[in-house]
Amino acid sequence: MRRLLAILIPGLLLLTACGGSPAAPEPTSQSAGDTAKFDSLKLTDNGDKKAPGVEFSKPLEVTEPTIKVVTEGDGDRVKENQVANISILALSGADGSTLEDTFPGEPEPLELNEELKTGSPVIYNAFVGSKVGSSLALAIPGQAATAAGAAAQPTQLLVIKVLSTKDVPPSVPPLAKPEGETVTPPAGLPTVKDNDKGIPEISVDGAPAPTALVAQDLIKGTGAAVKETDTLTVNYVGVNLVGGTKFDSSFDRGEPASFPLTGVIPGWTQGLAGKTVGSRVLLVVPKDLAYGDAGQGEAKGDLVFVVDILGVK
């Protein structure tokens, strides 16, 4: 589902949509679009971890994003700045065939934050004020065939169930640089020194090929521990262990990078989980936990990184 929303929500930003006014202090879910298209929609509850049965008149076609609560739950109302844990059944509006079903898996989080409110008010305003246990219908307009040869795509119907919510603690701004206690690493690892601009530089002279992942603190931060599910804000530099060629550096770009820890090479996911905000970490990553024998661009074989963990969310 995370992949599905990542595809669909940016697409909604490009479409004209008639959402309601900004959420009031005690809002109710706001429908948007031609909701009469959902008049024939009927849902049948099939129990936990199972998608509902869905009936609707076909083909379902909309020209603008259309969303409404079709069955109301009896739980608490969903509030702004909460995370709604949801499951999604995606269907073709043309024939009702299943495109994706996340109900059997674990619920996926949808953060009802300012970014979503600004970027996709149609979705934000429908979720905020709905009740836990509700099912929402979201119809995404299809796409016409293009001259480049891309086939026409039908309207998609998403049936989304709100399973639970949780509050999100206030976000903490990322650090400007690592903060904590300096740690002396053991001998035999690549060495790291700051240049005159305060940017770490890595020397691989004499460092042997790793037999396992190395995740060595150079500065031990005092902030929150990193979880594999976190999104990190970091500065980093990466070099090849053989030859020491630098292949990537956020320092060179002049700004930190942010990414989900689940979306990077396994050496980063495994090596940074459990580390703390404020830390500077030396990662020596065997190629099988990086990009394999083929490499990626200039990153080839065993890799070495210095990663400053500046923030998590």
Side-chain angles (χ1 to χ4, degrees):
M1 191 287 301
R2 186 176 294 130
R3 177 177 62 82
L4 190 62
L5 279 186
I7 293 171
L8 291 177
I9 289 180
L12 288 176
L13 311 188
L14 306 177
L15 300 168
T16 301
C18 50
S21 57
E26 290 295 335
T28 56
S29 173
Q30 298 178 28
S31 301
D34 185 4
T35 57
K37 297 285 188 177
F38 295 144
D39 286 352
S40 67
L41 181 63
K42 295 180 180 179
L43 304 182
T44 303
D45 188 356
N46 288 325
D48 292 343
K49 294 287 187 179
K50 293 182 180 179
V54 182
E55 298 179 18
F56 61 95
S57 297
K58 305 172 187 67
L60 171 66
E61 295 178 348
V62 296
T63 59
E64 60 185 342
T66 299
I67 190 168
K68 69 174 292 187
V69 172
V70 290
T71 60
E72 186 171 62
D74 56 7
D76 294 335
R77 289 201 182 274
V78 179
K79 300 176 182 178
E80 62 183 2
N81 295 320
Q82 286 188 319
V83 169
N85 296 309
I86 62 178
S87 289
I88 291 182
L89 176 66
L91 304 172
S92 166
D95 58 15
S97 59
T98 298
L99 304 176
E100 188 161 355
D101 179 6
T102 74
F103 277 80
E106 291 301 311
E108 293 286 354
L110 176 63
E111 190 167 345
L112 301 166
N113 54 19
E114 192 65 29
E115 181 181 359
L116 182 64
K117 181 178 181 180
T118 301
S120 190
V122 165
I123 289 183
Y124 177 91
N125 289 331
F127 275 91
V128 173
S130 66
K131 292 183 178 182
V132 172
S134 295
S135 292
L136 294 84
L138 168 63
I140 310 294
Q143 297 178 348
T146 66
Q153 298 295 321
T155 291
Q156 291 189 25
L157 172 64
L158 276 64
V159 176
I160 309 168
K161 186 165 185 178
V162 182
L163 301 172
S164 64
T165 59
K166 65 178 180 179
D167 294 327
V168 178
S171 60
V172 177
L175 301 172
K177 61 182 181 180
E179 297 178 0
E181 181 180 353
T182 300
V183 178
T184 301
L189 296 177
T191 58
V192 180
K193 291 184 178 180
D194 285 354
N195 64 17
D196 57 3
K197 296 181 180 179
I199 297 173
E201 295 183 339
I202 303 170
S203 171
V204 297
D205 292 347
T211 57
L213 175 67
V214 175
Q216 172 63 47
D217 287 328
L218 303 178
I219 297 174
K220 176 66 174 176
T222 58
V226 173
K227 302 186 294 295
E228 285 193 8
T229 53
D230 283 337
T231 293
L232 304 189
T233 298
V234 302
N235 266 323
Y236 68 94
V237 59
V239 305
N240 294 318
L241 181 62
V242 175
T245 303
K246 181 171 66 175
F247 57 81
D248 195 9
S249 172
S250 66
F251 293 97
D252 291 350
R253 293 190 292 273
E255 61 181 2
S258 293
F259 49 80
L261 195 53
T262 54
V264 291
I265 60 173
W268 275 53
T269 306
Q270 297 174 25
L272 297 181
K275 299 297 184 181
T276 51
V277 174
S279 295
R280 168 170 288 181
V281 182
L282 173 67
L283 295 176
V284 185
V285 183
K287 62 183 179 181
D288 62 329
L289 295 178
Y291 301 111
D293 291 323
Q296 179 170 295
E298 295 182 351
K300 300 182 184 301
D302 303 324
L303 307 179
V304 183
F305 297 90
V306 170
V307 183
D308 293 345
I309 305 174
L310 305 178
V312 297
K313 65 175 183 178

